[in-house]
Amino acid sequence: MLVRFIALGLIGLLACVSVPSQAQTKKLKVVTTLAVLKNITEEIGGDRVTVDNLSDPRQDPHYVQPRPTLMNKARKADAFIEIGLQLELWAQKVINGSGNPRIQLGQPGRIIASDGIATLELPRVVSREWGDVHPYGNPHVWLDPINAKRVATNIARGLGRIDRAQRSEYERRLSEFEQRIDEALFGAELVKEIGGSKLTRLAERGRLLEYIDNQGLSGKLGGWLKKAEPLRGQQIVTYHKTWIYFATRFGFSVPIEIEEKPGIPPSAKHRDQVITFVAKSDVRALITADYYDASATDFIATKTGAAVIAVPIDSGGVAGTQSYFDLIDYLIAKISAPYRVSAHG
Amino acid sequence: MSKRITLMTALSMVFASVIFASLLSARESDSLTVRQTVDEQDKRYQLQGLRERLQALEKQLDAVRERSQAVASQQHANVFNPGITIFGNFVGRWDDAPVFLEEAEGDGKAPRVDDKFNLREVELDFRGAIDPWADGVVIAAFESEVPGEFTTEIEEGYFTLKRLPVIDRAPLGLKLKAGRYRPEFGRQNKIHTHDLPWMTRPRAYQTFLGDEGFIRNGVSAGFFIPTPGEGNTLEAAADVVNDGGLPYSVGAPAAKGGYLGHLKWFWDIADGHDLEIGGSGYIEDTSQGTFASRLYGIDVTYKWKPFRGGARRSFHLGGELFVADLPDAIRQDDRPLGFYTWAQYQFGRQLYIGARYDYTEVFAEDESQDEGSELNTLGAYLTYYTTEFLRFRVALEHAGKEIGKNPNLNTVFVEVNFLFGSHPVEPYWVNR
């Protein structure tokens, strides 16, 4: 009898020991709303996570159809990662349809990637008179690589909340990702000289170029900021208010949008105003996300001679943009092309 | 003498050295003074620059603080309020024959509704989180068939459990709902009038489920049934609801309750193409072991909406079939059916064109009246959205002969649908 009890006890003990070990080897199931979030989550989570992205990078991220297949993917998820700021209006519908309590708002499995980012274009008055305004500011935050580091931090902290055992690993991978972003943005030589944190602080305050100039380090600037030099100080017209973060980081301004108001296609009158503006100024490029109707943009281009640059805003939207780094590389190359040609020509 | 000359020379050299040194010192001193002055000017200049920058930053900070306070105060004021949306549906109709409502008024005369404008419906939609476990929805409707006369009802009022209090995980994505709501019978029953892709509910809906569709008090459980592969899903819903109220079961014996089952298979055929097939069944049981009413439905919808450019192009093709098993007390061995089929093409960001054909077998309490009779309706419509919040629609509808009503009625409709308030995520895009 005693032997039987001991044997049962040992089996129970083994079972208790084996449960956590299984849990440790079990990968976290993560769903994301954008492919860039999938990229960054894979950078942070490594082989500890399997990530499924719900939208297609060719889609407008504002208007993804909340299909039952997306709900079913979200049903099995340990974490649901979204940009937030009312970018993905469809996300809550997917979560409600999933019936998954772990990813409801306020639960550890719901990760808002834009938390803590100082948003731009925060509206003073929130009214539909202004079109599809975002009450919490412009949500296209990931197009600034410095914000991508904040996104990665939120993801690392979020994964750490639901997988405490691997928290230090996520933090380690976060540091590596931040280092890679710094080197890609500022150039490895400058990062080595000054340090990524200080460069980031300077860039956020708009004092980076002045500082490195004063220090005689301008020649060491590399990476995306170097590649985007032709854009600095330029004016570029965009279709939608998609590019403010990208423009701020790479030094160009967006004096006017082709859309009359966010989400409102241009009237003939507004289109003519844009044509007049482009013709009078030195605008050489019209940028549009490639899921928008390009007819108005094309029309303005034919009247003014400006180049139309239709590009994806999510990774994987076209060949050669599979990772976040590829996407920013691609965007800088495409958007600065008209200015490089004119600078050399 | 030579010693004297040497001494004098030495003294002169010392003197000259002293004078040179003092001159040099004075020059260096001047240079230092100049340098100090330049440094001070530089510092003053830098200080001035820093002061200006500080002032600019303070201004920016004030602006940011002001905006964030404005947002925070707005949030604070509304933080526990539900999201509120108001829907208005305004319709005009012109007919080639008089149209009367079925219900007579106090003087016994049925009111005429042809050639009239009418604010057909106003809905107030309130929704929000109740607590960490549940969300609540209340939709109050003011409806009008005769211009200026409104009936008021709670069209829906329910809560859904998003987390079960006892277990952390919901098996099969179980969702529980209780209250008054639109059960999942067919595909379009859940859609409110203002969100329909047409001017009117299909005749089959009106005949088998009621003018406003199937709305019941009850409880519902929805869940996923595992399927092989990730490109398709199978969802089930089971409801227990109050019985009665079906248009064709008037006169049927009282029932203990109604039981509804719905199964929906959804398949992502390819990027931008999907197919949905649903089956529904509803049964009312009497205490005598006989049934009061039975209703069955099948729905099929194919949808194309390309990933790139999906905001400008889409296509829908679908239909629903209903079959009723009439209560024994009303009619024996009679199973009327009705169906509709529709198609819609989007040919711009804001424009949609579509058509619908309805067929319904008509039945009445007097069996001799409807022997073999049927109703055919054909409609076409053009819809224009300025945004998802404002929609204009013009439609033509031809209705075949209906017993006791107008022969071959032709109607032109215009509709303006508007909504304002918060932006709930459903269900504006279901039929877009």
Side-chain angles (χ1 to χ4, degrees):
Chain A
M1 192 68 177
L2 185 66
V3 174
R4 215 179 262 177
F5 272 121
I6 290 167
L8 281 171
L10 279 173
I11 290 167
L13 192 64
L14 278 172
C16 291
V17 170
S18 67
V19 168
S21 72
Q22 277 171 5
Q24 275 165 15
T25 55
K26 193 188 152 211
K27 290 185 176 188
L28 287 182
K29 286 181 184 167
V30 182
V31 291
T32 59
T33 54
L34 295 180
V36 288
L37 293 177
K38 179 177 192 282
N39 292 154
I40 297 173
T41 306
E42 286 171 342
E43 294 271 1
I44 303 301
D47 60 3
R48 292 285 310 136
V49 296
T50 53
V51 190
D52 220 337
N53 185 44
L54 298 182
S55 67
D56 186 283
R58 293 166 295 175
Q59 289 178 293
D60 181 345
H62 299 83
Y63 297 106
V64 172
Q65 300 277 313
R67 306 188 303 279
T69 40
L70 306 188
M71 296 170 189
N72 198 32
K73 284 178 183 174
R75 175 174 73 84
K76 302 163 192 166
D78 298 301
F80 186 101
I81 303 176
E82 63 185 316
I83 290 290
L85 303 170
Q86 293 201 351
L87 175 79
E88 309 100 328
L89 289 170
W90 47 275
Q92 190 56 48
K93 173 80 175 162
V94 170
I95 289 167
N96 289 347
S98 74
N100 182 347
R102 286 162 290 164
I103 57 173
Q104 300 293 333
L105 207 58
Q107 296 301 308
R110 183 78 170 268
I111 299 171
I112 311 293
S114 63
D115 268 356
I117 290 175
T119 54
L120 302 174
E121 295 177 340
L122 197 64
R124 276 181 169 273
V125 179
V126 179
S127 166
R128 298 265 179 240
E129 278 186 75
W130 296 99
D132 278 343
V133 290
H134 292 281
Y136 306 110
N138 191 310
H140 305 91
V141 291
W142 70 95
L143 293 172
D144 175 356
I146 288 181
N147 286 344
K149 292 200 293 181
R150 183 72 218 177
V151 165
T153 304
N154 288 328
I155 291 172
R157 303 279 148 78
L159 295 179
R161 276 198 304 271
I162 51 180
D163 185 11
R164 288 170 187 274
Q166 295 295 321
R167 190 178 280 177
S168 58
E169 175 65 6
Y170 299 137
E171 291 291 334
R172 186 186 68 75
R173 295 184 72 97
L174 171 64
S175 297
E176 283 178 8
F177 179 76
E178 287 175 331
Q179 177 75 14
R180 286 180 60 206
I181 287 281
D182 288 340
E183 288 179 1
L185 180 60
F186 305 111
E189 210 178 339
L190 197 61
V191 172
K192 196 174 175 186
E193 192 85 28
I194 298 176
S197 303
K198 187 168 183 177
L199 287 169
T200 300
R201 279 200 305 277
L202 288 164
E204 281 178 326
R205 291 170 191 167
R207 292 186 54 210
L208 176 71
L209 298 178
E210 181 193 342
Y211 179 83
I212 59 173
D213 198 33
N214 287 342
Q215 299 293 318
L217 294 169
S218 295
K220 294 192 173 178
L221 180 68
W224 292 324
L225 283 171
K226 180 72 179 171
K227 287 178 188 166
E229 264 178 352
L231 294 174
R232 210 166 293 150
Q234 302 288 350
Q235 290 186 322
I236 299 183
V237 170
T238 67
Y239 181 80
H240 180 69
K241 282 180 173 288
T242 308
W243 301 97
I244 184 66
Y245 295 98
F246 190 85
T248 303
R249 185 56 52 227
F250 296 110
F252 64 90
S253 62
V254 181
I256 191 169
E257 281 89 21
I258 297 172
E259 277 186 332
E260 196 160 344
K261 290 173 181 173
I264 311 290
S267 62
K269 186 183 169 190
H270 180 75
R271 200 185 56 194
D272 290 348
Q273 283 173 349
V274 176
I275 290 170
T276 307
F277 180 87
V278 172
K280 281 185 180 171
S281 58
D282 191 29
V283 172
R284 286 171 236 169
L286 312 172
I287 316 176
T288 178
D290 58 4
Y291 47 78
Y292 283 122
D293 181 4
S295 56
T297 313
D298 287 342
F299 182 80
I300 294 166
T302 55
K303 295 288 179 187
T304 61
V308 176
I309 299 167
V311 283
I313 61 167
D314 198 4
S315 51
V318 294
T321 61
Q322 293 312 310
S323 72
Y324 180 77
F325 295 90
D326 295 338
L327 176 69
I328 301 296
D329 271 341
Y330 179 86
L331 292 177
I332 289 172
K334 291 288 278 189
I335 294 170
S336 62
Y339 296 93
R340 279 204 306 273
V341 168
S342 56
H344 296 155
Chain B
M1 186 67 184
S2 64
K3 278 184 184 173
R4 209 171 159 182
I5 290 169
T6 307
L7 184 65
M8 285 293 285
T9 307
L11 279 170
S12 303
M13 284 180 71
V14 168
F15 184 69
S17 299
V18 167
I19 288 173
F20 181 74
S22 61
L23 280 173
L24 200 67
S25 166
R27 204 171 157 191
E28 274 182 0
S29 167
D30 283 352
S31 169
L32 192 67
T33 311
V34 169
R35 205 182 303 147
Q36 278 173 345
T37 310
V38 169
D39 282 353
E40 274 172 21
Q41 279 176 349
D42 273 359
K43 277 176 187 163
R44 228 176 282 137
Y45 179 74
Q46 283 175 4
L47 196 64
Q48 181 64 24
L50 286 170
R51 265 198 208 112
E52 284 170 7
R53 181 172 288 158
L54 187 66
Q55 282 169 354
L57 285 170
E58 279 174 348
K59 276 184 189 169
Q60 282 180 23
L61 189 66
D62 286 345
V64 168
R65 199 176 286 148
E66 192 183 315
R67 275 185 292 170
S68 62
Q69 278 171 351
V71 170
S73 62
Q74 281 173 17
Q75 286 178 341
H76 189 259
N78 299 316
V79 71
F80 292 123
N81 285 346
I84 303 171
T85 310
I86 297 170
F87 301 83
N89 186 261
F90 179 69
V91 173
R93 64 178 293 168
W94 292 270
D95 306 84
D96 65 354
V99 181
F100 297 91
L101 277 186
E102 285 178 18
E103 295 87 12
E105 288 180 332
D107 60 0
K109 287 182 182 174
R112 259 181 90 160
V113 294
D114 55 291
D115 301 346
K116 295 275 194 302
F117 288 112
N118 188 21
L119 181 60
R120 181 165 63 165
E121 184 184 60
V122 172
E123 273 189 12
L124 309 181
D125 181 311
F126 305 84
R127 58 185 69 212
I130 297 170
D131 66 8
W133 286 275
D135 287 339
V137 175
V138 171
I139 300 170
F142 304 86
E143 287 163 0
S144 169
E145 287 188 291
V146 179
E149 295 176 15
F150 288 91
T151 56
T152 309
E153 68 165 349
I154 298 298
E155 190 161 335
E156 295 194 77
Y158 60 85
F159 73 94
T160 50
L161 276 180
K162 52 190 176 183
R163 285 173 66 197
L164 296 175
V166 282
I167 50 174
D168 183 41
R169 293 185 179 231
L172 302 175
L174 180 67
K175 297 173 282 288
L176 297 173
K177 180 196 282 190
R180 179 173 172 78
Y181 59 93
R182 290 177 168 274
E184 295 215 32
F185 194 102
R187 188 171 191 269
Q188 305 287 356
N189 183 57
K190 292 189 77 171
I191 307 298
H192 288 234
T193 303
H194 52 81
D195 279 326
L196 290 172
W198 323 289
M199 287 298 307
T200 53
R201 282 194 190 274
R203 290 297 178 124
Y205 261 99
Q206 295 181 36
T207 304
F208 291 92
L209 297 173
D211 288 345
E212 294 300 321
F214 190 56
I215 304 171
R216 285 291 180 277
N217 291 283
V219 293
S220 171
F223 52 93
F224 285 92
I225 297 171
T227 51
E230 292 228 315
N232 71 98
T233 58
L234 189 60
E235 287 176 88
D239 299 52
V240 179
V241 298
N242 290 348
D243 60 283
L246 287 177
Y248 62 79
S249 63
V250 175
K256 286 161 66 180
Y259 308 95
L260 185 143
H262 179 77
L263 208 56
K264 180 173 83 181
W265 182 61
F266 183 91
W267 180 28
D268 268 335
I269 303 168
D271 289 353
H273 299 262
D274 55 64
L275 179 70
E276 184 180 317
I277 299 174
S280 312
Y282 175 70
I283 295 173
E284 289 182 356
D285 257 330
T286 66
S287 51
Q288 289 82 36
T290 56
F291 67 88
S293 303
R294 286 180 183 176
L295 183 63
Y296 308 102
I298 293 173
D299 60 272
V300 180
T301 307
Y302 162 76
K303 186 173 178 179
W304 169 71
K305 194 171 184 66
F307 284 168
R308 179 166 286 148
R312 305 185 297 279
R313 287 175 299 156
S314 64
F315 176 68
H316 281 73
L317 179 65
E320 293 189 63
L321 170 75
F322 302 93
V323 179
D325 209 348
L326 292 179
D328 293 343
I330 299 176
R331 201 83 51 82
Q332 284 188 340
D333 302 326
D334 201 354
R335 291 186 175 78
L337 68 84
F339 70 87
Y340 75 92
T341 179
W342 72 293
Q344 176 182 273
Y345 180 68
Q346 180 187 1
F347 57 101
R349 184 176 165 132
Q350 295 153 307
L351 276 171
Y352 298 76
I353 191 166
R356 191 186 81 206
Y357 171 72
D358 300 0
Y359 169 89
T360 309
E361 289 179 354
V362 180
F363 49 92
E365 286 183 42
D366 179 0
E367 200 167 339
S368 64
Q369 211 179 32
D370 65 356
E371 192 64 36
S373 65
E374 59 193 38
L375 176 64
N376 296 280
T377 307
L378 184 63
Y381 55 91
L382 182 69
T383 304
Y384 173 80
Y385 288 83
T386 58
T387 62
E388 68 241 63
F389 308 106
L390 181 61
R391 183 188 73 215
F392 299 88
R393 180 173 288 155
V394 59
L396 302 169
E397 218 172 88
H398 168 83
K401 186 177 182 301
E402 192 174 358
I403 295 162
K405 291 192 178 176
N406 309 292
N408 295 322
L409 181 69
N410 293 300
T411 308
V412 175
F413 289 102
V414 293
E415 180 193 50
V416 182
N417 197 74
F418 56 93
L419 68 104
F420 52 96
S422 71
H423 191 186
V425 293
E426 57 184 336
Y428 308 119
W429 45 52
V430 172
N431 294 307
R432 291 183 69 185

